[in-house]
Amino acid sequence: MPDTAKAQQLAQSHEAVERDPDAYWLKQAERLDWIRLPEKANESSFEKADFGISWFADGELNVSANCIDRHLATRGDQTAIIFEGDEPGEGRTLTYRELHEEVCRFANVLKAEGCKKGTRVTLYMPMIPEAAIAMLACARIGAVHSVVFGGFSPDSLADRITDCESTILITADGGRRGGKRIPLKENADKALAKCPDVQSVIVVRRTGDDVAMTDERDVWWHERRGEVGAECEPERMNAEDPLFILYTSGSTGKPKGVLHTTGGYLLWVTYTFDTLFGADADDVFWCTADVGWVTGHSYVVYGPLANGAKTVMFDGVPNYPDPGRFWETSQRLGVTIFYTAPTAIRALMREGDEWVTRHDRSQLRLLGTVGEPINPEAWNWYANVVGEGRCPVVDTWWQTETGGAMIAPVPGVVDTKPGSATKPLPGVMPQLVDAEGAVLEGATSGNLVIAQSWPGQMRSVYGDHERFFQTYFSTYAGKYFTGDGCRRDEDGYYWITGRVDDVINVSGHRMGTAEVESALVAHEDVAEAAVVGMPHDIKGQGIYAFVTLKAGVADSEELRQQLKTWVRGEIGPIATPDALQFAPGLPKTRSGKIMRRILRKIAENDTDSLGDTSTLADPGVVDDLVAGRVSGS
Ligand code: WTA
């Protein structure tokens, strides 16, 4: 049943933002505590001549003060973070007051290590409260954090440290996920062998593993914590000062450092968290994402805390110790709003309803999903089995680049359709365009672009503003191109169909085909490699690699496994190819360009419709490739 008051409110918001966007956003900006209230709102342009993204440029505020200090008077003793470790029940909680003290102390330790406003700090952490504490401590003193997912390899970590010239690394002795040990400090040491500019490593004790500490460089957080004061004044930050960098994969080259700034980002996550989840003092909000990804930034840390909510940080996996983990933990912690990825839903659905129904879910009131398209079957299972048909499902479409949710149903107001993220939030202007950039109207399919800036939009690719423009604003002049394909139905609902560029979405994690290819060709036996996505029942998409070996190297099952392990070691487990086919030749045009369209069809096992192959230098390779197709793991 639609809630009429809320429906009216939403309609008014849409109307208000269309009529006078700046006035609307300046009003929304009052959700935050400003040191200096902005009078300017949107000063962005997507055009080449005066390109730039800027919001609230004359405003001043501090993100950590907004996430913590302003709640102290009203809810200092309320829980802020509920930590749930890998073992069920292993955890602790922090109130807003406790969080304040920890963040201040951490900020003071950072300062003592030479960290200042603008210093880049890399985090390589498990999902423990200290990850959020360290992020907020950076924000408190104006340092720019770059969180690198703990599943990335030492090389990937080193690349990301080097790219943003971090001088400080925060890590832990180790992590534990699904009962397995993750050697974070050991990996960090390997990475740091390539990063001479890192002067200081702050190590949080998590597992108690015996780890090597380098004199002069490495310090234990628990030793330093008591040596510094419990108060730290938040730094006065301009709304457009950088808040964080987060690396994400694109269709070409190395991962790029997506840069978000202070005011617009914080407003976007505050606004979308409240609009979509509306958590109040009785709610317990659980977003299962890792802080290594944008969802963890926006909806584990910044969005919930800016709204004064209770947020769960989970350092485990959905199927450990058994596939009932999410629901057992939800029941025990009193979770009311649950937000996860379609991959997890599909994996759990396969285990059977029993794992869900044996736990009491009467406290759950809202379910969310993010990260990849959700198939209607998984959506219905989530809504009806997990949500007992009474919890709305909020499918949120957004990206690292957008800062927070963009297309999603406001619960209780926008009717849902299984598999559709429904309609844009107020202030979001999606359009569908054809290959030439012509705007398509009505029920149609096309490439998804956003026609106007919104406060949470990324501001740059760190260190390469030109690449920012080229990547997102040059394909369709004057518009932000998302890289996604999309269908709009007769009711104006949006159905994201997936990436149309060379990005593969594996279990909701973005992987660039170029990255996997360069990892493969770095192996001594590989001459050439081409990587495409393939459909995968659980992961949504899997990684399919075509590999040409160097002359004289014989293929074998052993080498196939070796190459998979190699990629895993080079990038991290999420990049492991699901299928690897040895290909004596790749389909190339006469000018030497690999025709990926053909490789995609083979990977999808859709070989009846390979299309025109007459422009290939050697059409014969296609038959060999079709004959040699392998199935995925
Ligand atoms: C995909 C994650 C369909 C999409 C927040 C996008 C989705 C990419 C959805 C961004 C959704 C995310 N439905 N597809 N609800 N949410 N995507 O940067 O292809 O890790 O471009 O951000 O994930 O992934 P990213």
Side-chain angles (χ1 to χ4, degrees), residues 273-342:
F273 178 84
D274 184 43
T275 305
L276 294 174
F277 302 120
D280 63 27
D282 299 328
D283 280 306
V284 174
F285 178 79
W286 183 7
C287 165
T288 66
D290 190 285
V291 288
W293 311 108
V294 73
T295 310
H297 283 60
S298 301
Y299 299 111
V300 174
V301 181
Y302 291 119
L305 296 178
N307 281 284
K310 297 177 202 147
T311 183
V312 175
M313 289 186 78
F314 177 48
D315 202 17
V317 294
N319 57 1
Y320 179 84
D322 64 50
R325 180 64 189 273
F326 277 171
W327 326 116
E328 179 276 324
T329 299
S330 290
Q331 179 183 350
R332 181 161 39 77
L333 302 181
V335 172
T336 56
I337 309 170
F338 182 79
Y339 189 34
T340 196

Side-chain angles (χ1 to χ4, degrees), residues 248 293-295 342 369-374 395-401 407 419 421 482-484 496-499 505 508-510:
T248 191
W293 311 108
V294 73
T295 310
T369 126
V370 59
E372 37 171 338
I374 180 164
D395 176 0
T396 61
W397 173 85
W398 57 290
Q399 310 178 295
T400 307
E401 294 88 340
I407 302 180
T482 63
D484 279 325
I496 307 294
T497 47
R499 303 287 304 197
N505 194 327
H509 302 316
R510 277 162 69 166

